[in-house]
Amino acid sequence: MTQVTEHGGGVWSLRVPIPDNPLGHTLVHVLDTDRGPVLVDTGWDDPASWSELNDGLGALGLGVGDVHGVVITHHHPDHHGLSGRVREESGAWIAMHAADTAVVRRTRESDPGTWLDYLARKLAAAGAPEEHLAPLRAARSGGRMRTLPGLGAALPDREIVPGELLDLAGRRLRAVWTPGHTPGHVCLHLEEQHPAGLPGHGRLFSGDHLLPGISPHIGLYEDPDDATVTDPLGDYLDSLERIGRLGVAEVLPAHQHAFPDAAGRVRELLDHHEDRLTGLLALLTTPLTPWQLAERMEWNRPWDRIPYGSRNIAVSEAEAHIRRLVKLGRAEAVTGTEPVTYVAV
Ligand SMILES: [Zn+2]
Ligand SMILES: [Zn+2]
């Protein structure tokens, strides 16, 4: 039986499982509107998750066919995975920020071989050792990995425009662009009085941007065709501060559980990142490649027990931190090094 939580004022959350993932589940939110229920995120594309989503809606006296629209916080598969299936069954529209729609489009069109080349090039530039690159080259020449995750993700049909109210009958839901975790992540501010009278200005569907007990992954935005030097960690910290200033009464995140003190949680996360950046500066008293920095950073387990794919994510996170430090003028690239090393200044 799907766990359904009633949050009051025509808002519910359904726990939709994410198979084989320590996060456990996505909280899919149901928002009642005058034209029918709208979902905020949909959950992982898997038969068990699909059936839980159906059961959860059933417990509210609804069917998937009743869904009027789907609002996506960001393109990740635990949020956007079932959107296509919901649209097929209901004719609902799907809305997403343009920057994440661009990621979905690019992934759908990308050729696995080209992607493997890009990944190998990027990891080599970050200082990955030959034994880490060899499996990528072998997959490339052996023609393995014919598909990429996200290849079948649904293309949205509406754009979420930052700062604007979404077109929802009878509700005030405003899009707040919160890049960082992904380039087009949005939070959605329900600008209505809290149903239980909690002090503050409405409620916030926060996706993965603001979670009560987890700090979301911040890596580099992956775009083989874009040479812009982005600063995702800087984007994330800026968007955190903006969210803290909204003064919402309650946060409805996409994982874990709802919580009241948004500003307090924002402060904790800002402090956490400040500590982490300071810790990395201490490591960078010796010049290091991003790979070497990742090896020395603190993770949830020792580096030699981090699986292959997670190491790629960890290196991307190390690079995002280096970008921030360079941008702040607290670290710099050492000229003439290849792969490039960075040092604290
Ligand atoms: Zn995510
Ligand atoms: Zn997520």
Side-chain angles (χ1 to χ4, degrees):
M1 211 31 217
T2 312
Q3 251 182 290
V4 178
T5 304
E6 179 163 11
H7 295 282
V11 177
W12 297 264
S13 59
L14 318 175
R15 282 165 71 114
V16 175
I18 313 173
D20 305 318
N21 188 299
L23 264 181
H25 58 266
T26 304
L27 295 171
V28 171
H29 287 92
V30 183
L31 176 67
D32 194 24
T33 79
D34 292 345
R35 285 206 206 101
V38 164
L39 303 184
V40 179
D41 292 336
T42 53
W44 192 273
D45 184 9
D46 175 84
S49 315
W50 173 249
S51 105
E52 293 280 330
L53 178 64
N54 278 269
D55 286 357
L57 289 169
L60 301 177
L62 300 167
V64 171
D66 298 321
V67 175
H68 170 62
V70 171
V71 178
I72 296 298
T73 59
H74 66 296
H75 73 82
H76 284 165
D78 52 326
H79 300 259
H80 181 48
L82 285 171
S83 307
R85 208 150 165 205
V86 169
R87 180 167 62 190
E88 264 166 43
E89 303 252 333
S90 62
W93 45 262
I94 301 172
M96 189 183 273
H97 185 281
D100 269 26
T101 297
V103 177
V104 170
R105 182 170 290 119
R106 203 165 55 233
T107 310
R108 286 167 59 102
E109 290 165 359
S110 64
D111 158 59
T114 313
W115 177 256
L116 284 171
D117 290 343
Y118 165 69
L119 200 60
R121 230 176 19 247
K122 224 175 59 84
L123 284 163
E130 188 47 41
E131 73 255 28
H132 189 83
L133 299 172
L136 290 175
R137 298 205 172 111
R140 175 73 166 114
S141 57
R144 289 199 299 276
M145 191 173 157
R146 257 177 231 103
T147 60
L148 290 167
L151 207 66
L155 266 181
D157 25 49
R158 287 194 186 184
E159 185 179 334
I160 298 180
V161 181
E164 289 193 1
L165 286 172
L166 277 84
D167 181 19
L168 298 183
R171 312 280 331 213
R172 281 185 70 85
L173 189 68
R174 194 178 297 279
V176 186
W177 186 26
T178 50
H181 180 58
T182 68
H185 191 291
V186 291
C187 290
L188 298 139
H189 189 188
L190 189 59
E191 298 176 336
E192 300 168 4
Q193 211 172 11
H194 192 277
L198 285 187
H201 183 41
R203 291 182 279 179
L204 188 76
F205 299 105
S206 66
D208 280 359
H209 182 62
L210 188 62
L211 298 161
I214 318 170
S215 170
H217 164 68
I218 311 292
L220 296 185
Y221 305 141
E222 308 288 356
D223 185 353
D225 306 320
D226 187 357
T228 318
V229 180
T230 54
D231 176 18
L233 182 56
D235 292 345
Y236 173 68
L237 298 173
D238 285 350
S239 6
L240 261 186
E241 287 188 30
R242 276 189 292 117
I243 287 302
R245 286 197 294 270
L246 288 176
V248 297
E250 193 179 20
V251 182
L252 303 170
H255 304 287
Q256 302 188 304
H257 54 83
F259 61 99
D261 185 12
R265 182 61 185 141
V266 163
R267 261 193 314 278
E268 274 176 19
L269 284 166
L270 291 174
D271 289 349
H272 161 80
H273 281 283
E274 189 51 45
D275 288 352
R276 194 146 197 227
L277 286 171
T278 308
L280 297 192
L281 273 180
L283 293 173
L284 287 173
T285 46
T286 320
L288 298 173
T289 64
W291 182 275
Q292 291 168 328
L293 181 64
E295 282 178 324
R296 288 159 178 77
M297 280 167 76
E298 212 172 290
W299 304 104
N300 60 358
R301 67 201 113 169
W303 182 256
D304 57 9
R305 284 183 27 224
I306 296 181
Y308 187 88
S310 305
R311 286 188 181 192
N312 295 342
I313 294 171
V315 171
S316 178
E317 192 149 330
E319 290 191 281
H321 281 77
I322 290 173
R323 287 264 176 96
R324 180 91 284 253
L325 290 171
V326 169
K327 198 143 189 194
L328 291 169
R330 291 157 81 180
E332 64 184 18
V334 178
T335 37
T337 51
E338 196 178 339
V340 63
T341 59
Y342 294 87
V343 70
V345 288

